[in-house]
Amino acid sequence: AQSVAQPEDQVNVAEGNPLTVKCTYSVSGNPYLFWYVQYPNRGLQFLLKYITGDNLVKGSYGFEAEFNKSQTSFHLKKPSALVSDSALYFCAVRDTGNNRLAFGKGNQVVVIP
Amino acid sequence: NAGVTQTPKFQVLKTGQSMTLQCAQDMNHNSMYWYRQDPGMGLRLIYYSASEGTTDKGEVPNGYNVSRLNKREFSLRLESAAPSQTSVYFCASSVLTSGPYNEQFFGPGTRLTVL
């Protein structure tokens, strides 16, 4: 079964500094990888996905993620964090062989003014 | 487009009561999902419906039933609520369950408390 790990519970970063949220995955086949963001009292919003091709994926709100097959990682990045980026971020993976999307436990990002 | 809508937004039940959570999407998506979100555990899939007329169990189906009423609507029923079912419930939809076009779109959630 596929799974993802988000090793940090909370990421604190100063406004204007680079932001990185880590994700590693485990699948038996080729992975489809996703990042979602959840603002307080809201549903999850899709940020970006990796299906195939270029290892650097660009998404919404200035976020990007780098797929690294050898390290089985899909870290989310933003060059310059904003206070409005403070939210809960979820990594998810789907094995191309089945229909289920496995979510990580989420990372709380706090951007300090 | 409203996207994915859920009702109610909040609900408090007593142990043993029943209720149905409603979900509808207006994006003409084939697949729909029910998740529960608990602190520190991410989202766990309860049931999903790959297409109209089909439903399948997810990771945590016990204590729940679902109905795919039509292409737009997918309801989740708790027949006899238990305190362990206190959670935030999210409905989601996607074009398909398989293939690259399966990013899921989520509703705003239902906060359920079972006393």
Side-chain angles (χ1 to χ4, degrees):
Chain A
Q2 67 270 33
S3 64
V4 294
Q6 295 181 248
E8 301 161 312
D9 288 332
Q10 182 163 313
V11 175
N12 296 325
V13 62
E15 186 176 24
N17 281 3
L19 169 63
T20 298
V21 188
K22 296 179 180 177
C23 172
T24 58
Y25 67 89
S26 173
V27 295
S28 56
N30 291 321
Y32 290 161
L33 292 153
F34 304 82
W35 275 101
Y36 288 83
V37 61
Q38 184 180 30
Y39 298 102
N41 300 313
R42 303 287 295 275
L44 277 70
Q45 295 179 32
F46 170 76
L47 275 179
L48 51 80
K49 66 180 178 182
Y50 171 82
I51 301 299
T52 187
D54 195 344
N55 289 343
L56 186 64
V57 179
K58 294 190 183 297
S60 306
Y61 312 123
F63 283 94
E64 57 188 29
E66 186 169 10
F67 172 67
N68 187 316
K69 188 172 184 178
S70 63
Q71 297 186 2
T72 61
S73 66
F74 189 56
H75 301 332
L76 182 70
K77 300 180 181 182
K78 187 171 184 180
S80 178
L82 302 172
V83 172
S84 57
D85 293 328
S86 298
L88 192 55
Y89 290 81
F90 289 95
C91 181
V93 66
R94 194 174 73 75
D95 192 319
T96 52
N98 67 59
N99 296 331
R100 298 188 187 180
L101 196 61
F103 284 85
K105 63 178 173 61
N107 277 125
Q108 184 67 50
V109 169
V110 177
V111 182
I112 303 162
Chain B
N1 286 349
V4 180
T5 57
Q6 293 182 236
T7 55
K9 286 187 169 55
F10 302 93
Q11 184 71 47
V12 178
L13 293 177
K14 295 180 180 179
T15 297
Q17 287 185 317
S18 63
M19 78 161 295
T20 300
L21 282 65
Q22 306 286 354
C23 174
Q25 52 92 9
D26 62 1
M27 296 176 282
N28 201 33
H29 285 172
N30 291 297
S31 305
M32 298 184 75
Y33 312 81
W34 276 105
Y35 291 90
R36 59 178 289 172
Q37 183 182 27
D38 301 293
M41 301 189 72
L43 274 75
R44 293 182 291 170
L45 183 64
I46 304 171
Y47 271 94
Y48 69 101
S49 170
S51 60
E52 186 178 354
T54 69
T55 60
D56 285 286
K57 294 179 180 179
E59 185 182 353
V60 288
N62 291 346
Y64 305 95
N65 285 301
V66 291
S67 295
R68 183 75 182 267
L69 304 170
N70 48 55
K71 191 171 186 178
R72 290 186 64 249
E73 298 172 288
F74 189 38
S75 63
L76 178 72
R77 183 161 179 83
L78 287 70
E79 290 291 351
S80 180
S84 61
Q85 294 177 305
T86 294
S87 188
V88 181
Y89 290 86
F90 289 101
C91 178
S93 70
S94 63
V95 174
L96 297 169
T97 54
S98 59
Y101 304 105
N102 68 341
E103 60 264 31
Q104 295 177 16
F105 295 84
F106 285 79
T110 295
R111 287 187 179 275
L112 175 66
T113 301
V114 183
L115 302 175

